[in-house]
Amino acid sequence: MTQEITSKYLGTITSDLIKIVDNLKEASYLIRKRGFSDYPIFIISKNDIPIGQVLYKKEDFSTSWNYNVTYVDEFVQRKIIAEDKLDIFLENYKNPDEFCCLFVIDGEMMNFVFVPYPED
């Protein structure tokens, strides 16, 4: 069952992205350039989570969310994305130069959202 990302989440996500957009773009670029993955995923949560590597804590940039980073491979290994659904995910993955792939975790709510990088 897919849960929609509400405007409540989009507001805090957007205000966070304005603060750290350049950092996320750079991390996405480096992950792809260095050949780790063509599909970087930023995991955001209010609490510490054991998925991916910590990129930024809320305190680092006075954001509402903590940011971890990983790749689609970890999501398949952890069975967050079923292997038989991977093709569907990859077809829907948006251009990482223009969009930030976020996996939002807040309590029981977990969902992917692609947010366009804010323009300068």
Side-chain angles (χ1 to χ4, degrees):
M1 179 174 179
T2 301
Q3 297 165 326
E4 293 297 317
I5 298 291
T6 65
S7 58
K8 165 187 143 182
Y9 292 112
L10 285 178
T12 61
I13 290 168
T14 302
S15 65
D16 272 12
L17 286 180
I18 290 168
K19 297 176 186 177
I20 62 171
V21 63
D22 293 336
N23 304 72
L24 295 181
K25 276 182 162 177
E26 179 73 7
S28 175
Y29 171 77
L30 290 173
I31 287 165
R32 292 177 285 127
K33 181 179 182 206
R34 293 180 179 163
F36 293 116
S37 178
D38 290 334
Y39 305 97
I41 299 171
F42 296 97
I43 304 145
I44 67 172
S45 67
K46 305 278 183 174
N47 303 310
D48 293 338
I49 53 159
I51 305 172
Q53 299 294 312
V54 173
L55 190 61
Y56 304 113
K57 297 289 228 174
K58 293 186 273 193
E59 300 80 32
D60 295 339
F61 291 97
S62 298
T63 56
S64 299
W65 302 87
N66 293 313
Y67 288 76
N68 288 13
V69 64
T70 191
Y71 329 117
V72 71
D73 302 349
E74 182 176 359
F75 275 70
V76 172
Q77 289 168 0
R78 290 179 174 267
K79 299 182 182 357
I80 297 168
I81 298 174
E83 282 190 52
D84 63 342
K85 304 289 188 209
L86 179 59
D87 289 344
I88 295 168
F89 177 81
L90 298 180
E91 287 172 17
N92 288 292
Y93 191 92
K94 296 185 187 258
N95 181 338
D97 288 323
E98 298 175 20
F99 290 85
C100 186
C101 176
L102 300 174
F103 186 69
V104 182
I105 301 173
D106 189 29
E108 294 297 309
M109 196 286 299
M110 290 185 253
N111 205 355
F112 283 99
V113 62
F114 290 88
V115 179
Y117 286 114
E119 297 294 323
D120 294 335

